[in-house]
Amino acid sequence: MHFTSEQRLDDGVLEREFTLGEIPGILWTPASLPAPAPLILLGHPPLGLRRMYPRLAERARQAAADGFAAATVELPGSGDRPPLAGAEQARADLRRALEAGGPVDDGIIDALVLPLVEESVPEWRAALDALLSLPEIGGPVGYSGGVISIGIRLAVVEPRVSAAVLFAGSLVPATMFEEARRVTIPLHVLLQWDDEGNDRQAALDLFDAFGSEEKTLHANMGGHTGVPRFAGDAAARFFTRHLK
């Protein structure tokens, strides 16, 4: 891990950009750290860190106010990273399916999501290795948001992730339902009931599939970007319970 820049935000949060090999990322830490801080990994859709920065920084500041460090990395195929093989064709196929008004074929979902999961999860784990080696970060670790299939895979393969807030707002390959049954960590799942790009029934079926003894579904009226503030506050309290 190589830090490339740093700045103090107006609330005192320290924001540092870094690279992990060729992968860009950002780390936020609270203004004061009486002890090594727990860490929240901030997931996001594959739209590029620069485009997602305002929303990520807002979530990081909330985490810092609660005493957590927060970090994120650029996903494969996003930003200035090389495109994933087949991703553009999969996106074009998805657009045509949505414009036709029919169901999205499982093959399209697999081609769009599974390569991203396969490439990104090892990178998240490598970033976690580097982040936990810093003296100011001590764990435990939570995962928040982003592509839900990435969160599922991380919850299955990464024992250092001890709780997760998942956003039910992305297409899910059928194979991920089987992986969901192997998830055992506490989960807080957010669902926007009127999300036009999300299959509501599939989201409910996925929640039912999770093997966690503690899992909570917070469903709110509204579209994809209309998550109410109180829903974010509830997610923050979830992390306070499980990471402190």
mmCIF file of all heavy atoms in Angstrom, residues 12 18 20 27 55 78 83 106 114 121 127 131 133 138 140-141 151 159 164 170 175 180 200 215 220 229 237 240:
data_model
loop_
_atom_site.group_PDB
_atom_site.id
_atom_site.type_symbol
_atom_site.label_atom_id
_atom_site.label_comp_id
_atom_site.label_asym_id
_atom_site.label_seq_id
_atom_site.Cartn_x
_atom_site.Cartn_y
_atom_site.Cartn_z
ATOM 1 N N GLY A 12 -12.523 17.357 10.445
ATOM 2 C CA GLY A 12 -11.325 16.786 11.053
ATOM 3 C C GLY A 12 -10.980 15.396 10.590
ATOM 4 O O GLY A 12 -9.924 14.859 10.955
ATOM 5 N N PHE A 18 -4.734 6.139 -1.706
ATOM 6 C CA PHE A 18 -3.635 5.188 -1.767
ATOM 7 C C PHE A 18 -3.738 4.357 -3.032
ATOM 8 O O PHE A 18 -4.761 4.373 -3.740
ATOM 9 C CB PHE A 18 -3.632 4.276 -0.533
ATOM 10 C CG PHE A 18 -4.847 3.386 -0.389
ATOM 11 C CD1 PHE A 18 -4.938 2.155 -1.061
ATOM 12 C CD2 PHE A 18 -5.917 3.756 0.433
ATOM 13 C CE1 PHE A 18 -6.048 1.337 -0.933
ATOM 14 C CE2 PHE A 18 -7.039 2.938 0.564
ATOM 15 C CZ PHE A 18 -7.103 1.731 -0.116
ATOM 16 N N LEU A 20 -2.862 0.249 -4.178
ATOM 17 C CA LEU A 20 -2.484 -1.102 -3.777
ATOM 18 C C LEU A 20 -2.121 -1.822 -5.067
ATOM 19 O O LEU A 20 -2.991 -2.308 -5.771
ATOM 20 C CB LEU A 20 -3.645 -1.791 -3.062
ATOM 21 C CG LEU A 20 -3.355 -3.142 -2.419
ATOM 22 C CD1 LEU A 20 -2.401 -2.984 -1.250
ATOM 23 C CD2 LEU A 20 -4.649 -3.794 -1.969
ATOM 24 N N LEU A 27 -8.822 5.919 2.142
ATOM 25 C CA LEU A 27 -8.979 5.579 3.556
ATOM 26 C C LEU A 27 -9.362 6.831 4.320
ATOM 27 O O LEU A 27 -8.729 7.883 4.159
ATOM 28 C CB LEU A 27 -7.673 5.006 4.109
ATOM 29 C CG LEU A 27 -7.585 4.817 5.633
ATOM 30 C CD1 LEU A 27 -8.597 3.789 6.123
ATOM 31 C CD2 LEU A 27 -6.165 4.409 6.036
ATOM 32 N N ARG A 55 -20.924 10.408 -2.386
ATOM 33 C CA ARG A 55 -21.699 9.490 -1.543
ATOM 34 C C ARG A 55 -20.791 8.680 -0.630
ATOM 35 O O ARG A 55 -21.123 8.426 0.540
ATOM 36 C CB ARG A 55 -22.538 8.573 -2.427
ATOM 37 C CG ARG A 55 -23.681 9.295 -3.113
ATOM 38 C CD ARG A 55 -24.268 8.495 -4.263
ATOM 39 N NE ARG A 55 -24.840 7.232 -3.836
ATOM 40 C CZ ARG A 55 -25.343 6.341 -4.682
ATOM 41 N NH1 ARG A 55 -25.336 6.585 -5.983
ATOM 42 N NH2 ARG A 55 -25.852 5.208 -4.223
ATOM 43 N N SER A 78 -13.613 -0.349 -13.504
ATOM 44 C CA SER A 78 -14.153 0.975 -13.213
ATOM 45 C C SER A 78 -13.054 2.027 -13.239
ATOM 46 O O SER A 78 -11.866 1.721 -13.153
ATOM 47 C CB SER A 78 -14.830 0.979 -11.844
ATOM 48 O OG SER A 78 -15.943 0.127 -11.819
ATOM 49 N N PRO A 83 -11.102 -2.395 -18.771
ATOM 50 C CA PRO A 83 -12.446 -2.978 -18.718
ATOM 51 C C PRO A 83 -12.408 -4.487 -18.517
ATOM 52 O O PRO A 83 -11.468 -5.158 -18.948
ATOM 53 C CB PRO A 83 -13.045 -2.614 -20.079
ATOM 54 C CG PRO A 83 -11.858 -2.381 -20.968
ATOM 55 C CD PRO A 83 -10.792 -1.815 -20.084
ATOM 56 N N ASP A 106 -30.949 -15.189 -17.137
ATOM 57 C CA ASP A 106 -29.916 -15.541 -16.157
ATOM 58 C C ASP A 106 -28.518 -15.440 -16.750
ATOM 59 O O ASP A 106 -27.563 -15.081 -16.039
ATOM 60 C CB ASP A 106 -30.144 -16.961 -15.639
ATOM 61 C CG ASP A 106 -31.303 -17.054 -14.660
ATOM 62 O OD1 ASP A 106 -31.773 -15.993 -14.202
ATOM 63 O OD2 ASP A 106 -31.742 -18.177 -14.359
ATOM 64 N N LEU A 114 -20.888 -12.055 -12.233
ATOM 65 C CA LEU A 114 -19.943 -13.046 -11.715
ATOM 66 C C LEU A 114 -18.476 -12.692 -11.988
ATOM 67 O O LEU A 114 -17.637 -12.860 -11.081
ATOM 68 C CB LEU A 114 -20.274 -14.431 -12.275
ATOM 69 C CG LEU A 114 -21.585 -15.045 -11.751
ATOM 70 C CD1 LEU A 114 -21.828 -16.421 -12.367
ATOM 71 C CD2 LEU A 114 -21.566 -15.146 -10.225
ATOM 72 N N VAL A 121 -13.338 -9.632 -5.214
ATOM 73 C CA VAL A 121 -13.240 -10.133 -3.843
ATOM 74 C C VAL A 121 -11.792 -10.392 -3.422
ATOM 75 O O VAL A 121 -11.390 -9.994 -2.314
ATOM 76 C CB VAL A 121 -14.138 -11.375 -3.647
ATOM 77 C CG1 VAL A 121 -13.830 -12.073 -2.325
ATOM 78 C CG2 VAL A 121 -15.607 -10.964 -3.693
ATOM 79 N N ALA A 127 -6.677 -5.677 0.069
ATOM 80 C CA ALA A 127 -6.770 -4.354 0.690
ATOM 81 C C ALA A 127 -6.949 -4.485 2.198
ATOM 82 O O ALA A 127 -6.362 -3.719 2.981
ATOM 83 C CB ALA A 127 -7.931 -3.572 0.085
ATOM 84 N N LEU A 131 -4.730 -2.768 5.083
ATOM 85 C CA LEU A 131 -5.349 -1.827 6.012
ATOM 86 C C LEU A 131 -5.172 -2.264 7.460
ATOM 87 O O LEU A 131 -4.891 -1.442 8.347
ATOM 88 C CB LEU A 131 -6.836 -1.677 5.678
ATOM 89 C CG LEU A 131 -7.145 -0.963 4.355
ATOM 90 C CD1 LEU A 131 -8.573 -1.246 3.912
ATOM 91 C CD2 LEU A 131 -6.906 0.542 4.491
ATOM 92 N N SER A 133 -2.810 -3.847 8.667
ATOM 93 C CA SER A 133 -1.408 -3.749 9.079
ATOM 94 C C SER A 133 -1.066 -2.345 9.585
ATOM 95 O O SER A 133 0.001 -2.149 10.169
ATOM 96 C CB SER A 133 -0.484 -4.108 7.908
ATOM 97 O OG SER A 133 -0.481 -3.086 6.923
ATOM 98 N N GLY A 138 -7.535 -1.555 13.855
ATOM 99 C CA GLY A 138 -7.367 -2.818 14.560
ATOM 100 C C GLY A 138 -8.487 -3.817 14.389
ATOM 101 O O GLY A 138 -8.436 -4.907 14.938
ATOM 102 N N PRO A 140 -12.695 -4.927 14.844
ATOM 103 C CA PRO A 140 -13.235 -5.818 13.821
ATOM 104 C C PRO A 140 -13.651 -5.078 12.558
ATOM 105 O O PRO A 140 -13.565 -3.852 12.492
ATOM 106 C CB PRO A 140 -14.429 -6.478 14.521
ATOM 107 C CG PRO A 140 -14.850 -5.489 15.556
ATOM 108 C CD PRO A 140 -13.578 -4.827 16.026
ATOM 109 N N VAL A 141 -14.106 -5.835 11.553
ATOM 110 C CA VAL A 141 -14.342 -5.292 10.220
ATOM 111 C C VAL A 141 -15.788 -5.530 9.817
ATOM 112 O O VAL A 141 -16.349 -6.610 10.033
ATOM 113 C CB VAL A 141 -13.406 -5.961 9.188
ATOM 114 C CG1 VAL A 141 -13.669 -5.420 7.784
ATOM 115 C CG2 VAL A 141 -11.946 -5.748 9.581
ATOM 116 N N GLY A 151 -20.731 -8.505 -1.538
ATOM 117 C CA GLY A 151 -20.887 -8.632 -0.092
ATOM 118 C C GLY A 151 -21.155 -10.059 0.336
ATOM 119 O O GLY A 151 -20.632 -10.517 1.356
ATOM 120 N N PRO A 159 -13.131 -14.428 6.906
ATOM 121 C CA PRO A 159 -13.518 -14.543 8.316
ATOM 122 C C PRO A 159 -13.332 -13.260 9.111
ATOM 123 O O PRO A 159 -13.893 -13.131 10.207
ATOM 124 C CB PRO A 159 -12.605 -15.659 8.839
ATOM 125 C CG PRO A 159 -11.432 -15.680 7.911
ATOM 126 C CD PRO A 159 -11.972 -15.299 6.572
ATOM 127 N N ALA A 164 -22.341 -7.170 8.242
ATOM 128 C CA ALA A 164 -22.476 -6.518 6.945
ATOM 129 C C ALA A 164 -23.829 -5.835 6.814
ATOM 130 O O ALA A 164 -24.861 -6.357 7.256
ATOM 131 C CB ALA A 164 -22.299 -7.522 5.804
ATOM 132 N N SER A 170 -29.319 -4.631 -6.669
ATOM 133 C CA SER A 170 -28.570 -5.045 -7.855
ATOM 134 C C SER A 170 -28.988 -6.449 -8.261
ATOM 135 O O SER A 170 -29.526 -7.210 -7.452
ATOM 136 C CB SER A 170 -27.060 -4.990 -7.592
ATOM 137 O OG SER A 170 -26.710 -5.736 -6.441
ATOM 138 N N THR A 175 -26.502 -18.546 -8.728
ATOM 139 C CA THR A 175 -25.529 -19.252 -7.902
ATOM 140 C C THR A 175 -25.280 -18.542 -6.572
ATOM 141 O O THR A 175 -24.884 -19.186 -5.591
ATOM 142 C CB THR A 175 -24.190 -19.406 -8.637
ATOM 143 O OG1 THR A 175 -23.705 -18.101 -9.016
ATOM 144 C CG2 THR A 175 -24.333 -20.264 -9.876
ATOM 145 N N ALA A 180 -25.480 -17.566 -0.414
ATOM 146 C CA ALA A 180 -26.163 -16.847 0.664
ATOM 147 C C ALA A 180 -26.511 -17.781 1.816
ATOM 148 O O ALA A 180 -26.506 -17.368 2.983
ATOM 149 C CB ALA A 180 -27.421 -16.173 0.130
ATOM 150 N N ARG A 200 -37.942 -7.095 -6.820
ATOM 151 C CA ARG A 200 -38.302 -7.116 -5.400
ATOM 152 C C ARG A 200 -38.431 -8.532 -4.865
ATOM 153 O O ARG A 200 -37.932 -8.852 -3.787
ATOM 154 C CB ARG A 200 -39.599 -6.352 -5.166
ATOM 155 C CG ARG A 200 -40.027 -6.275 -3.714
ATOM 156 C CD ARG A 200 -41.483 -5.861 -3.608
ATOM 157 N NE ARG A 200 -41.708 -4.553 -4.207
ATOM 158 C CZ ARG A 200 -42.923 -4.112 -4.545
ATOM 159 N NH1 ARG A 200 -43.984 -4.871 -4.340
ATOM 160 N NH2 ARG A 200 -43.073 -2.914 -5.078
ATOM 161 N N LYS A 215 -30.522 -11.615 11.154
ATOM 162 C CA LYS A 215 -30.652 -10.897 9.889
ATOM 163 C C LYS A 215 -31.913 -10.050 9.963
ATOM 164 O O LYS A 215 -32.964 -10.501 10.411
ATOM 165 C CB LYS A 215 -30.697 -11.851 8.691
ATOM 166 C CG LYS A 215 -31.795 -12.902 8.733
ATOM 167 C CD LYS A 215 -31.754 -13.802 7.501
ATOM 168 C CE LYS A 215 -32.879 -14.839 7.518
ATOM 169 N NZ LYS A 215 -32.846 -15.707 6.324
ATOM 170 N N ASN A 220 -38.134 0.163 2.706
ATOM 171 C CA ASN A 220 -38.665 1.518 2.720
ATOM 172 C C ASN A 220 -39.303 1.833 1.370
ATOM 173 O O ASN A 220 -38.834 1.378 0.327
ATOM 174 C CB ASN A 220 -37.546 2.535 2.987
ATOM 175 C CG ASN A 220 -36.869 2.304 4.313
ATOM 176 O OD1 ASN A 220 -37.416 2.630 5.353
ATOM 177 N ND2 ASN A 220 -35.675 1.727 4.287
ATOM 178 N N ARG A 229 -33.035 9.019 5.462
ATOM 179 C CA ARG A 229 -31.934 9.219 6.400
ATOM 180 C C ARG A 229 -32.027 8.282 7.597
ATOM 181 O O ARG A 229 -31.018 7.750 8.070
ATOM 182 C CB ARG A 229 -31.915 10.681 6.867
ATOM 183 C CG ARG A 229 -30.817 11.006 7.883
ATOM 184 C CD ARG A 229 -29.446 10.715 7.313
ATOM 185 N NE ARG A 229 -28.394 10.925 8.274
ATOM 186 C CZ ARG A 229 -27.681 12.048 8.375
ATOM 187 N NH1 ARG A 229 -27.949 13.079 7.581
ATOM 188 N NH2 ARG A 229 -26.722 12.161 9.261
ATOM 189 N N ARG A 237 -26.327 2.245 13.628
ATOM 190 C CA ARG A 237 -26.493 1.630 14.949
ATOM 191 C C ARG A 237 -26.186 0.137 14.893
ATOM 192 O O ARG A 237 -25.637 -0.431 15.855
ATOM 193 C CB ARG A 237 -27.915 1.868 15.460
ATOM 194 C CG ARG A 237 -28.221 3.309 15.827
ATOM 195 C CD ARG A 237 -29.498 3.435 16.621
ATOM 196 N NE ARG A 237 -30.666 3.035 15.828
ATOM 197 C CZ ARG A 237 -31.358 3.861 15.056
ATOM 198 N NH1 ARG A 237 -30.990 5.138 14.933
ATOM 199 N NH2 ARG A 237 -32.417 3.438 14.382
ATOM 200 N N THR A 240 -22.490 -0.137 15.187
ATOM 201 C CA THR A 240 -22.062 0.165 16.550
ATOM 202 C C THR A 240 -22.269 -1.044 17.458
ATOM 203 O O THR A 240 -21.428 -1.340 18.324
ATOM 204 C CB THR A 240 -22.825 1.388 17.073
ATOM 205 O OG1 THR A 240 -22.488 2.526 16.273
ATOM 206 C CG2 THR A 240 -22.464 1.678 18.520
#
